[in-house]
């Protein structure tokens, strides 16, 4: 029997159209040993769904960096407000998502995955045994919430150039921050759960090659890096669920009982008030007595 896998999707929110292909989506999948089984890029929800179908096995967990469940017509979801409350000290906040946005590729992806037999994991309701599931994550919360990465006071500024620096220095400084992040991620081979960037030819290039200065090439690299962080977050979700918190857990569920949540790694100092129910998965449900345990994969 094939073991469950941990899938990471750094999704481009805008889907492809006949006139304009979507931006790149970063893709990564790892196993329980942290080995990167595949890593790369896709364009558009169709390609992403096809790739997930090829790599996800029964009981796999899929972490998606994009709004997945968006019940609010306007404004901001409670889970997004809670990101700032929990991680604001680390300079982490979330953009507002609502049904009024022009691009909601995450919602489309979730609908497609459900059509393929997968289930939405909101961190509150139990996931049926043996079913592959997907949830929403935010890589910045993983970066500052997992102490192994060492970001004690603020998030790494690897997304965009630092506008406080002279223009001529900004891209080089951004590349240096990204290379430092990659070095920290390279040390996760002995972490619990592990991640081994060197185990696949594509992810190994992150280690072997310096980050580029040109924006387009840099974004290509950043999308893959975030996908690997998402895949590691999916592994954390299953193997050490006590290290995550459920943002938005107290919101009203929709007509199908689903909550628009965000599952985020958290240090003790980042945790908000305990929710009525907590995270739980089969390997660790005994450590969190109040947690709903997910049945073991068949």
């Amino acid at each position: 029997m094939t073991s469950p896998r941990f899938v990471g999707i750094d999704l481009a929110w805008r889907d492809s159209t006949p006139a304009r292909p979507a931006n790149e989506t970063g893709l990564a999948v790892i196993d329980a040993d942290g080995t990167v089984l595949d890593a790369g890029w896709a364009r558009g929800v169709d390609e992403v769904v096809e790739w997930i179908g090829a790599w996800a096995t029964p009981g796999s967990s899929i972490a998606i960096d994009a709004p997945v469940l968006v019940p609010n017509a306007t404004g901001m979801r409670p889970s997004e407000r809670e990101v700032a409350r929990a991680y604001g000290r680390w300079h982490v906040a979330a953009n507002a998502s609502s049904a009024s946005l022009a691009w909601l590729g995450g919602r489309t992806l979730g609908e497609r995955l459900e059509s393929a037999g997968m289930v939405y994991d909101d961190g509150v309701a139990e996931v049926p045994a043996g079913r592959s599931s997907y949830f929403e994550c935010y890589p910045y919360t993983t970066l500052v919430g997992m102490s192994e990465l060492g970001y004690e006071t603020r998030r790494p500024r690897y997304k965009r150039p630092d506008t406080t620096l002279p223009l001529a220095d900004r891209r080089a400084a951004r590349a240096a921050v990204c290379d430092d992040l990659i070095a920290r991620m390279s040390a996760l081979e002995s972490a619990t759960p592990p991640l081994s960037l060197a185990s696949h030819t594509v992810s190994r290039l992150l280690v072997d090659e310096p980050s580029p200065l040109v924006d387009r090439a840099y974004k290509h690299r950043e999308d893959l890096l975030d996908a690997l962080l998402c895949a590691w977050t999916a592994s954390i979700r299953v193997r050490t669920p006590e290290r995550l918190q459920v943002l938005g857990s107290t919101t009203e569920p929709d007509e199908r009982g689903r909550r628009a949540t965000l599952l985020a790694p958290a240090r003790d100092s980042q945790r908000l008030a305990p929710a009525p129910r907590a995270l739980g998965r089969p390997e660790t449900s005994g450590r969190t007595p109040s947690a709903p345990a997910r049945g073991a994969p068949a």
Side-chain angles (χ1 to χ4, degrees):
M1 183 179 71
T2 305
S3 298
R5 293 169 175 169
F6 311 113
V7 180
I9 308 294
D10 181 39
L11 188 70
W13 293 15
R14 179 182 60 79
D15 201 1
S16 293
T17 66
R20 185 183 178 192
N23 293 331
E24 285 187 325
T25 286
L27 308 169
V29 55
I30 65 177
D31 64 13
D33 295 328
T35 299
V36 179
L37 303 175
D38 194 37
W41 300 264
R43 288 186 185 272
V45 171
D46 286 346
E47 289 187 12
V48 174
V49 171
E50 182 179 0
W51 181 86
I52 292 174
W55 285 102
T57 53
S60 292
S61 183
I62 302 159
I64 302 170
D65 178 16
V68 171
L69 198 65
V70 189
N72 51 310
T74 59
M76 175 177 268
R77 298 178 299 167
S79 61
E80 292 158 348
R81 294 191 186 94
E82 291 182 7
V83 170
R85 285 178 53 204
Y87 304 94
R89 200 177 90 194
W90 282 261
H91 300 264
V92 173
N95 293 322
S97 301
S98 70
S100 65
L101 294 180
W103 302 320
L104 285 171
R107 186 172 67 179
T108 303
L109 177 59
E111 291 168 351
R112 294 285 300 278
L113 294 180
E114 283 205 321
S115 296
M118 302 181 188
V119 296
Y120 173 64
D121 176 13
D122 67 3
V124 179
E126 183 177 341
V127 174
R131 295 284 294 278
S132 292
S133 59
Y134 63 94
F135 67 92
E136 182 178 336
C137 73
Y138 187 25
Y140 270 141
T141 68
T142 301
L143 290 174
V144 302
M146 293 297 286
S147 58
E148 290 89 337
L149 290 169
Y151 293 109
E152 303 297 328
T153 59
R154 68 175 298 157
R155 62 175 171 80
R157 197 162 184 165
Y158 72 105
K159 291 283 187 181
R160 297 177 182 86
D162 185 349
T163 57
T164 66
L165 298 174
L167 182 61
D169 300 335
R170 292 175 186 176
R171 286 177 175 79
R174 177 182 64 180
V177 171
C178 188
D179 288 341
D180 175 69
L181 167 57
I182 291 167
R184 295 178 191 225
M185 291 176 63
S186 297
L188 295 175
E189 291 187 0
S190 58
T192 303
L195 173 65
S196 175
L197 296 186
S199 60
H200 190 274
T201 53
V202 173
S203 57
R204 174 75 196 186
L205 291 177
L206 294 174
V207 182
D208 290 344
E209 298 179 353
S211 294
L213 302 186
V214 176
D215 287 346
R216 186 172 182 178
Y218 185 89
K219 185 65 167 64
H220 183 71
R221 182 182 182 88
E222 179 207 303
D223 290 339
L224 180 62
L225 186 61
D226 281 354
L228 288 159
L229 285 168
C230 290
W232 191 46
T233 305
S235 183
I236 296 165
R237 168 69 183 110
V238 173
R239 302 192 65 201
T240 56
E242 70 278 4
R243 299 192 68 179
L244 284 80
Q245 64 178 331
V246 185
L247 303 179
S249 64
T250 60
T251 57
E252 286 296 317
D254 65 11
E255 67 280 359
R256 296 174 52 193
R258 305 174 303 170
R259 293 168 174 83
T261 60
L262 195 155
L263 308 191
R267 304 165 186 249
D268 288 345
S269 61
Q270 295 165 336
R271 292 186 180 274
L272 303 180
R277 299 176 71 187
L279 283 157
R281 303 290 278 203
E283 291 89 343
T284 56
S285 58
R287 302 178 198 168
T288 52
S290 63
R294 173 178 175 173

